[in-house]
Amino acid sequence: MELVSSDDIDAAARRIKPYVLRTPLLHSERLSDELGCRVLVKAENLQHTGSFKPRGACNTLLSWRERGELPERVVTFSAGNHAAAVAFAGRQLGVTVTVSMPESAQQAKVDNVRRYGGEIVPTDDLRGTCDRLAREHDCPALYPFDLPEVIAGQGTVGREIREDVQPDLVLVPVGGGGLVGGIGTAVKAAAPDCRVVGVEPALSNAVGQALAANEVVRLPRGAPTMADGLAAPFAGEHTLAQVRRYVDDVVSVAESDIATAWPDMIAATRLMLEPSAVVGLAALRAGAVAVPDGGTVVLVASGGNAAPPRD
Amino acid sequence: MELVSSDDIDAAARRIKPYVLRTPLLHSERLSDELGCRVLVKAENLQHTGSFKPRGACNTLLSWRERGELPERVVTFSAGNHAAAVAFAGRQLGVTVTVSMPESAQQAKVDNVRRYGGEIVPTDDLRGTCDRLAREHDCPALYPFDLPEVIAGQGTVGREIREDVQPDLVLVPVGGGGLVGGIGTAVKAAAPDCRVVGVEPALSNAVGQALAANEVVRLPRGAPTMADGLAAPFAGEHTLAQVRRYVDDVVSVAESDIATAWPDMIAATRLMLEPSAVVGLAALRAGAVAVPDGGTVVLVASGGNAAPPRD
């Protein structure tokens, strides 16, 4: 399988520049003091739609347009952030967007999709409903992670990080693996010694299980993780290949560690974050990833679409 | 009374540059759509200590040091954000800091003062206790708003705004009036037609009452406002003079309007904000300030030290 290259990510960065924000990399004094290293937060919660997802969605639609293949409609499936991103990208480019979303989706995420004009089909079979909609409408599916164009788009997060700083460790939330695969590719092109580690909830560890089994594993439906943005039911073929090549490790964190890290990271950074965005801090605190003593650590804060934590 | 000038604010900006952050001015698509104008948020919640206050505190201590008058200790009084800022500035410059704070201060703010090594004296007579401590320690008081150096330091917020954008309206939270006075001075030096309007809670409107009475009014102790950072018990002499000259209007907003605006502005901006930071949005929604149709509005988000709002 052909992997996404650093050049592909450079091309994505040029392509999506008019449509996305370059998000700030914010130093957290409080987290730095706590962990004994320099902690920087890549604030993708401040991206359009409140998550990194427009990068991949815009790169895909723009790539299709370059090839003369921009459809009138696309369908997709998503816990919410990718859905809003595709709706956002579709609105910019005049494409109608229909998404299958879980019945249990966060209200903040449902509202966010509607805000950009996306049509929602509630379902418990995300991928199956998405594929059925694609057949019915005779239109392409813009999958949330397992497309090379999506991986390249998400990789622009890593490209911006490496432009701003020389990190020793980058921690990336993992759902289907598109973000961590793209970031690993971009970061290691400039800093091959930097460790890039993915973090997924123990309750939804599709990428970790697939790496261990050496094949895509379809997770049984279990207790939902509070990090709803990371609840991918399976890893992608493309993302797995990309992660094997460019990501050093994928670890998992317990719900209780996410629950503690969530309000703490909001208080420390004064950023509104969703639980998915704090799994990196949870992994460092739990010892699942070693802190590079005195080094520079980047926590990718993937999004900020949630009701606030309760006091 | 000699007013703080735009040159004083330029000098403050040069002086404090190594100690404070230049905060981002973030476009809010969602608030822009809601209000029918271009809404930008000056994210002072991302400043060191989580509020704009280090600007004035650093400028004061650095001014004293330039004059060879840096003391070993300073005292101050504060609901919390100024206290943390003085502790922060004191730690940078080797000055011991003691603050009188309300018994009812937010835990997030108490913790924040301790984090920077500040000593806390809980009291219900903020100013009286501060002045007693100054006499006991034979040291100066670094008042939270009524010092020219503090006004000049806070004015650097306005200087950054005018560097980034040409606003039609700037809305500024008002406690004792130092921030709005400084911002008005800086903004109007470059954009005399821009309206600068202060917003205070109706439950704690010391500046509005003083402007109406044409003298400093000491507020009776009433029901506390949820915007605890704006609960100044009186306006300052210096700030009043500055506000009369450089601020177009000071309006007040009801608690219920602050309570509604708080979670909405957090969700719209994905910034963690304290209630004081959202009074500008509350004023626009309540019609207390007219929206400049299609114009550019800056909301100064003054800080982010609070427990999150309840869902």
Side-chain angles (χ1 to χ4, degrees):
Chain A
M1 183 179 296
E2 196 168 345
L3 296 181
V4 171
S5 70
S6 179
D7 287 348
D8 294 331
I9 296 170
D10 290 346
R14 282 192 297 273
R15 204 175 276 130
I16 68 179
K17 191 173 181 186
Y19 299 94
V20 304
L21 299 174
R22 195 185 192 293
T23 54
L25 187 67
L26 301 168
H27 177 249
S28 171
E29 186 190 1
R30 204 186 293 188
L31 295 178
S32 299
D33 285 350
E34 176 188 330
L35 295 166
C37 57
R38 183 174 171 229
V39 177
L40 301 165
V41 177
K42 181 64 172 169
E44 282 296 300
N45 64 313
L46 301 180
Q47 185 56 264
H48 291 308
T49 77
S51 91
F52 68 95
K53 293 280 194 181
R55 297 171 182 269
C58 288
N59 189 50
T60 306
L61 290 189
L62 291 165
S63 297
W64 291 352
R65 191 172 71 175
E66 278 177 19
R67 301 201 296 258
E69 297 169 5
L70 190 70
E72 286 181 17
R73 179 191 294 265
V74 295
V75 296
T76 189
F77 68 95
S78 163
N81 279 341
H82 174 69
V86 176
F88 168 84
R91 197 171 71 167
Q92 311 282 325
L93 300 175
V95 177
T96 301
V97 174
T98 305
V99 295
S100 66
M101 279 178 73
E103 311 260 8
S104 62
Q106 294 280 318
Q107 191 59 42
K109 294 185 174 175
V110 171
D111 293 345
N112 212 16
V113 175
R114 296 220 171 98
R115 181 166 295 114
Y116 297 105
E119 302 167 0
I120 296 173
V121 179
T123 177
D124 280 333
D125 178 16
L126 291 177
R127 172 80 177 257
T129 302
C130 173
D131 289 343
R132 175 178 62 74
L133 289 165
R135 286 192 302 273
E136 284 176 14
H137 290 295
D138 189 24
C139 73
L142 202 170
Y143 290 137
F145 45 82
D146 205 27
L147 286 174
E149 293 85 354
V150 169
I151 297 170
Q154 320 306 34
T156 60
V157 174
R159 194 172 180 276
E160 293 177 10
I161 291 170
R162 79 170 197 233
E163 283 175 348
D164 287 353
V165 74
Q166 290 202 300
D168 299 295
L169 173 65
V170 180
L171 289 173
V172 187
V174 172
L179 181 63
V180 73
I183 288 178
T185 308
V187 167
K188 283 175 180 287
D193 293 339
C194 173
R195 280 176 64 77
V196 177
V197 177
V199 185
E200 54 189 0
L203 284 184
S204 185
N205 59 346
V207 172
Q209 288 206 27
L211 289 173
N214 211 21
E215 62 179 3
V216 172
V217 174
R218 195 167 180 94
L219 298 186
R221 187 175 306 167
T225 171
M226 69 184 295
D228 62 296
L230 307 182
F234 49 84
E237 304 268 0
H238 288 93
T239 59
L240 272 183
Q242 201 80 22
V243 166
R244 275 200 201 92
R245 173 72 182 81
Y246 290 109
V247 175
D248 295 283
D249 201 0
V250 175
V251 302
S252 64
V253 288
E255 289 298 298
S256 58
D257 291 330
I258 302 172
T260 307
W262 187 30
D264 289 356
M265 189 156 161
I266 291 173
T269 61
R270 285 95 177 183
L271 297 172
M272 182 61 205
L273 303 173
E274 55 183 276
S276 303
V278 310
V279 293
L281 175 61
L284 288 173
R285 285 178 164 185
V289 182
V291 176
D293 201 20
T296 296
V297 176
V298 174
L299 302 176
V300 177
S302 48
N305 293 316
R310 287 178 174 277
D311 194 9
Chain B
M1 184 177 301
E2 196 168 344
L3 295 180
V4 171
S5 69
S6 179
D7 287 346
D8 294 333
I9 295 170
D10 291 346
R14 282 192 297 274
R15 206 174 275 129
I16 69 178
K17 190 172 182 189
Y19 299 93
V20 304
L21 299 174
R22 195 185 193 292
T23 54
L25 187 67
L26 301 168
H27 177 248
S28 172
E29 185 189 3
R30 205 186 294 187
L31 295 179
S32 299
D33 285 350
E34 176 189 331
L35 295 166
C37 56
R38 183 174 170 227
V39 177
L40 301 165
V41 177
K42 180 65 171 168
E44 282 295 300
N45 64 314
L46 300 180
Q47 185 55 264
H48 291 307
T49 76
S51 90
F52 68 96
K53 293 280 192 179
R55 298 171 181 269
C58 287
N59 188 50
T60 306
L61 289 189
L62 290 165
S63 296
W64 289 352
R65 190 172 72 174
E66 278 178 17
R67 302 201 296 257
E69 297 168 6
L70 189 70
E72 288 181 14
R73 179 190 294 265
V74 296
V75 296
T76 189
F77 68 94
S78 163
N81 279 340
H82 175 69
V86 176
F88 168 83
R91 195 171 73 167
Q92 311 280 326
L93 300 175
V95 177
T96 302
V97 174
T98 305
V99 296
S100 66
M101 278 178 72
E103 311 261 7
S104 62
Q106 295 278 319
Q107 192 59 42
K109 294 186 174 174
V110 172
D111 294 345
N112 212 15
V113 175
R114 296 221 170 98
R115 182 166 295 113
Y116 298 105
E119 301 167 1
I120 297 172
V121 180
T123 177
D124 281 332
D125 178 16
L126 291 179
R127 172 79 176 257
T129 302
C130 172
D131 289 344
R132 176 178 61 74
L133 289 166
R135 285 191 303 273
E136 285 177 14
H137 290 295
D138 190 24
C139 74
L142 203 171
Y143 291 137
F145 46 82
D146 205 28
L147 286 174
E149 292 85 356
V150 168
I151 296 169
Q154 320 306 33
T156 60
V157 174
R159 194 173 180 274
E160 294 177 9
I161 291 170
R162 80 171 195 231
E163 284 174 350
D164 287 353
V165 74
Q166 289 201 301
D168 299 295
L169 172 65
V170 179
L171 289 173
V172 187
V174 172
L179 181 64
V180 73
I183 287 178
T185 308
V187 167
K188 284 176 180 284
D193 293 339
C194 173
R195 278 177 65 77
V196 176
V197 176
V199 184
E200 54 189 0
L203 284 184
S204 184
N205 59 347
V207 172
Q209 288 206 26
L211 290 172
N214 212 19
E215 63 180 2
V216 172
V217 175
R218 194 167 181 94
L219 298 186
R221 187 176 307 168
T225 172
M226 69 183 296
D228 62 296
L230 308 181
F234 48 84
E237 304 268 359
H238 288 95
T239 59
L240 273 182
Q242 202 79 23
V243 166
R244 275 199 201 93
R245 173 73 182 79
Y246 290 109
V247 175
D248 295 283
D249 200 1
V250 175
V251 302
S252 64
V253 286
E255 289 298 297
S256 58
D257 292 330
I258 301 173
T260 307
W262 188 30
D264 289 356
M265 189 156 162
I266 291 174
T269 61
R270 285 93 177 185
L271 297 172
M272 181 61 205
L273 303 172
E274 54 185 276
S276 303
V278 310
V279 293
L281 175 61
L284 288 173
R285 284 178 164 184
V289 182
V291 176
D293 200 21
T296 296
V297 176
V298 175
L299 302 177
V300 177
S302 48
N305 293 314
R310 287 178 174 277
D311 193 10

